[in-house]
Amino acid sequence: SGRGRAEVFARSLGERNRRKLTLEHELRRALANKQFTLYWQPKVQTEDWYICGAEALLRWNHPTLGQIPPSEFIPVAEAAGLINEIGTWVMKEACRVAAKELPGLTISINASPAQLQRTDFIMHVDAALSLAGLPPDHLEVEITESLFMDASPVALRNLRALHKRGVRVALDDFGTGYSSLAYLRKFPFDTLKIDRAFVTELLSRPDARAIVRTIIDLARTLGMDTVAEG
Ligand code: MN
């Protein structure tokens, strides 16, 4: 495993690889076989406890493998180059359902860095919105900090194009990962999503409370909304 390094093979490694190969193989047919569904995670306004939005979460129900968690299949889809196709389906389906069944709500979708780095990303957004008849400001695209790691000019251009259309942009999982504050100056996000890890410990740990308070203050100063995950 590279110079001066050795790794011992274990049976579990082989099993993990076989599982990945199986998932990749099955993922290629999952879209066509309609095995994906969207679950809706509501967002509640804490001022009046009204539901103001919902996040579309992708779920994969395989006829023989059962429910495969996104934490397992999304990395496989990204590595296999399938994430763009899947992400485009999510966008289209989310907009369609939102316009039909969730009137007035702002819906969020999660976009993979691989999607944002494509020059046809905005075209897919426009198509999804116009096909569904959904106003652009009813859609929010959630991205993670990892998008900025490569500092791709295409991605930044796509974010600006979203902003120009009135589509909202949220920074997901904020507080974990690199949490470089420099990212907050690269693009005018509409929303900061505070990572679930801090939110779940709000009542039990003063350090979590201090971090959340600081994120909220920061977001307010920068004119961004905050969402507490979970
Ligand atoms: Mn999200």
Side-chain angles (χ1 to χ4, degrees):
S1 180
R3 286 188 182 185
R5 288 178 58 212
E7 267 177 47
V8 179
F9 179 80
R11 184 181 287 270
S12 63
L13 286 175
E15 271 155 24
R16 210 181 307 152
N17 276 334
R18 269 194 297 281
R19 166 88 174 171
K20 257 188 209 159
L21 280 177
T22 308
L23 290 186
E24 183 182 330
H25 183 76
E26 294 301 318
L27 264 178
R28 291 187 191 277
R29 301 188 296 196
L31 266 182
N33 293 342
K34 299 193 166 40
Q35 290 166 2
F36 288 123
T37 38
L38 295 182
Y39 281 35
W40 293 92
Q41 168 105 299
K43 265 189 223 167
V44 174
Q45 188 86 252
T46 51
E47 278 156 19
D48 48 19
W49 299 101
Y50 270 98
I51 293 178
C52 58
E55 176 180 3
L57 301 174
L58 183 61
R59 292 292 180 268
W60 181 18
N61 196 7
H62 188 274
T64 53
L65 298 171
Q67 282 272 359
I68 299 143
S71 55
E72 192 181 4
F73 76 77
I74 295 289
V76 177
E78 285 177 329
L82 296 166
I83 198 68
N84 186 57
E85 208 185 326
I86 295 171
T88 303
W89 178 84
V90 169
M91 195 147 62
K92 216 169 122 189
E93 178 68 4
C95 290
R96 185 188 71 80
V97 173
K100 248 177 85 183
E101 294 168 32
L102 306 169
L105 294 195
T106 297
I107 56 139
S108 312
I109 54 156
N110 296 284
S112 159
Q115 284 175 269
L116 262 300
Q117 272 151 15
R118 290 178 59 111
T119 47
D120 60 0
F121 176 74
I122 288 296
M123 189 194 82
H124 289 307
V125 175
D126 285 342
L129 287 173
S130 68
L131 202 67
L134 190 75
D137 61 351
H138 280 49
L139 176 67
E140 185 166 70
V141 174
E142 299 188 1
I143 59 155
T144 54
E145 287 175 85
S146 57
L147 180 68
F148 294 108
M149 303 281 294
D150 310 320
S152 135
V154 178
L156 214 53
R157 216 180 303 139
N158 279 334
L159 288 181
R160 290 204 190 97
L162 285 177
H163 192 68
K164 217 174 124 193
R165 278 161 175 72
V167 174
R168 298 171 60 87
V169 181
L171 190 53
D172 211 353
D173 305 325
F174 190 73
T176 55
Y178 296 89
S179 302
S180 165
L181 299 178
Y183 300 135
L184 297 180
R185 301 175 66 199
K186 279 200 174 159
F187 183 76
F189 292 97
D190 298 281
T191 308
L192 273 189
K193 294 194 71 182
I194 305 167
D195 195 84
R196 183 187 290 259
F198 303 114
V199 179
T200 49
E201 295 192 324
L202 261 185
L203 295 179
S204 57
R205 293 192 48 162
D207 56 356
R209 215 146 47 228
I211 290 169
V212 168
R213 195 180 293 128
T214 306
I215 296 177
I216 292 172
D217 280 347
L218 181 68
R220 241 179 228 153
T221 309
L222 296 174
M224 301 171 185
D225 290 334
T226 41
V227 171
E229 281 181 9

